[in-house]
Amino acid sequence: MSETATATKEKEKDLLQPIYDDPGVMKGLEKLDEATIERVINQTLEAEGGARLKILVETCVHCGLCSDACHFFMSHDRDPKYAPVGKVKQTIWEMLRKKGKVSKEFLMRAVQVAHTECNLCRRCVQYCPFGIDTAHLISLTRRICHKLGITPQYIQDTAHSHSATYNQMWVKEDEWTDSLFWQEDESRDEIPNMRIPLEKEGADIYYSVIAPEPKFRTQLIYQAAVIMHEAGADWTMSSLPGWDNSDMCMFTGDLEMMGRLKRRHFEDAMRLKVKRIVMGECGHAFRSIYDTGNRWDAWESMPVTIQHSVDFFEELLRLGKIKVKTKIQEKVTIHDPCNIIRGRGLQEKLRTVVHAFCDNVVEMYPNKEHNYCCSAGGGVINCGPPHKNTRIVGNSVKADQLRETGASIVVAPCHNCHGGIEDIIHANHLGMELKFLGDIIYEHMEKPDAI
Amino acid sequence: MHDLYAFLVGPLMWAVAIVFIGGLVWRFVAITRLARKKDPYVMHYLKAKWTLRSWGAWLIPYYPRSMRMHPWVTFFGFLFHIGVILVPIFLLAHILMWEEGALGISLWTMPEWLADVLTVCVLAGCVFFAARRMTVNEVKYVTDWTDFALLVVIALPFLTGILAHYQIFNYKFMIIFHILAGQAALVIVPFSRIGHMIYGPMVRAYLGSEFGGVRHTKDW
Ligand code: SF4
Ligand code: SF4
């Protein structure tokens, strides 16, 4: 074997390494045989590929112009394996070309590409002259992996939690309400008359969060409650399953479960006869409620209006319901979460809120709808520790962007972005502090009811 | 010789035109029907306003960020496509053929110098794209022989056309070769990735509608 061929083989092995640590993939592969692989792939492509698959694959002229869009590609010295179209080549193209007759080695790489090397951030879509939705093709690959039973272990666990409990974190019903009572109790020290209303029928706002909030970041619920209280909002939370707006099933390709989750969420809001759903600072959950899950449920339009908290906070400021008391003087930069910026155009509202509370804002470039993804979204961070380095190494461009701002605070109104950027900050010793909008507003707003 | 020529620009041209136009129409109809059947939401989200916005943005040279990041691809891309579309339709020799032939219609013709310039642009574009396929890593990685074959299919009619026009080599041979190459290209279009002339605007229409109507953001 020639030297370069050996080097390439070594590199391939390197690329495959993390997957070996993933029992979800490896155990799943053990159970598969060639006939099943072929049948499942062909059935899925045939039944669900539809016109979109056909037109996307047949229109692509292999020009590679999408490559520069992808942070993985940029962070890996322009390695074509990480280019969006390169990822499609390693997944769907091959499945189509071989009519489903692909090997387990191929699948091992395909899972890795689809689940850990693409954040479904849809940035590449904006850079393709035709607007080919590579993220859609990668999602389709994940759907096939789901049907083959080779989804990475950690994210599969959260999908199981969704099916068993209707929330992402195996939070039991009493634990959920307990957490809310606990936060309400805590708040009495600061704001004696504060309540976290539960099950209030006919309220204006149904406030929903992702399950990691009660589990790990309970202070966010506290802060949101304070903001709601001080703004005089007529709001409620739910005590029943449906309170969690998150959705890992959307990312694993378990679309049936995704549809059930979103239906439960909307139906719970309808049960309480609220006027709108306001959701916490999370990007993927917004995508699932606003853009994906609702379509699976085939609703003509949203049965209940849905509002992301960035939008909501901007509204509170605009209507004078909350007022700025102090402003942050340190240098602050803004990270634009893909799912609410490229996914909902909230970039200007996000800036309005940040500028209201911060005097010294520096932008990252490119920003707004051209932002680079945090590399945690799209379910990648949820694939867990075996794949942590893939996303950190795969996003050195974000580290460079952050470093160049010279900011000491990064505002990112999204849970996934927080997870991802936190890791990037640590790995690159950037020494920056990460904040949600809720953190800033809670700390710097006027609180007339506080003692 | 004359018989052969008459056959090529007569009956064969008709057959080619039917395959070309019929093929494109068939592709359009087939994909639309499939979309209606299997992806009904595509039809639901498709909106004229956002479609036009998206088409418009991508038709302005150097307006989308992607185009600015790749100035040379944009440069050659535009000239190449302008040439590929305009020359075959408006070239004097072609128009004469339309007029004298069965159609009997008369169209505006482009000055010869312009046709020459555009033909050179198309050929330069082919060379540029081929070179890019061989040298730029991310393009090389997703390139196979069909990508080169398509460039040859496009380049041949233009190359033979300009050679015939300036009577380089044997004119008679060259003009026959030119007609056949042109016809081959037309026949291949609907059945190859050159079908992006139909699919490309369709993909962009849908995507533009998603970005404009659902995601409230720009797709360029
Ligand atoms: S990570 Fe984003 S830019 Fe890269 S391929 Fe996936 S969707 Fe495209
Ligand atoms: S930019 Fe679009 S057409 Fe070009 S390779 Fe990427 S997906 Fe294909």
Side-chain angles (χ1 to χ4, degrees), chain A residues 145-161:
Chain A
C145 294
H146 160 71
K147 288 193 165 184
L148 288 168
I150 49 173
T151 300
Q153 175 91 336
Y154 273 78
I155 191 167
Q156 186 55 52
D157 179 67
T158 59
H160 285 325
S161 172

Side-chain angles (χ1 to χ4, degrees), chain A residues 415-432:
Chain A
H415 279 275
N416 279 312
C417 298
H418 263 248
I421 291 180
E422 203 158 19
D423 289 335
I424 285 167
I425 289 174
H426 283 162
N428 294 281
H429 310 291
L430 299 177
M432 299 165 118

Side-chain angles (χ1 to χ4, degrees), chain A residues 69-72 82-84 87 117-125 134-135:
Chain A
C70 187
H71 48 285
F72 280 104
Y82 296 96
K87 296 177 206 184
E117 294 171 11
C118 173
N119 298 103
L120 310 180
C121 73
R122 297 190 283 217
R123 190 171 193 261
C124 49
V125 181
T134 301

Side-chain angles (χ1 to χ4, degrees), chain A residues 59-66 85 127-130 132 134:
Chain A
T59 308
C60 175
V61 289
H62 311 170
C63 66
L65 291 178
C66 47
V85 63
Y127 290 74
C128 167
F130 302 115
I132 288 178
T134 301

Side-chain angles (χ1 to χ4, degrees), chain B residues 80-115:
Chain B
F80 170 86
H81 281 94
I82 291 170
V84 160
I85 296 167
L86 295 188
V87 175
I89 305 178
F90 296 110
L91 187 80
L92 180 65
H94 291 175
I95 297 283
L96 286 178
M97 200 176 73
W98 296 132
E99 267 180 38
E100 288 166 8
L103 286 181
I105 51 162
S106 127
L107 288 169
W108 172 84
T109 59
M110 64 169 63
E112 273 190 24
W113 66 265
L114 182 60

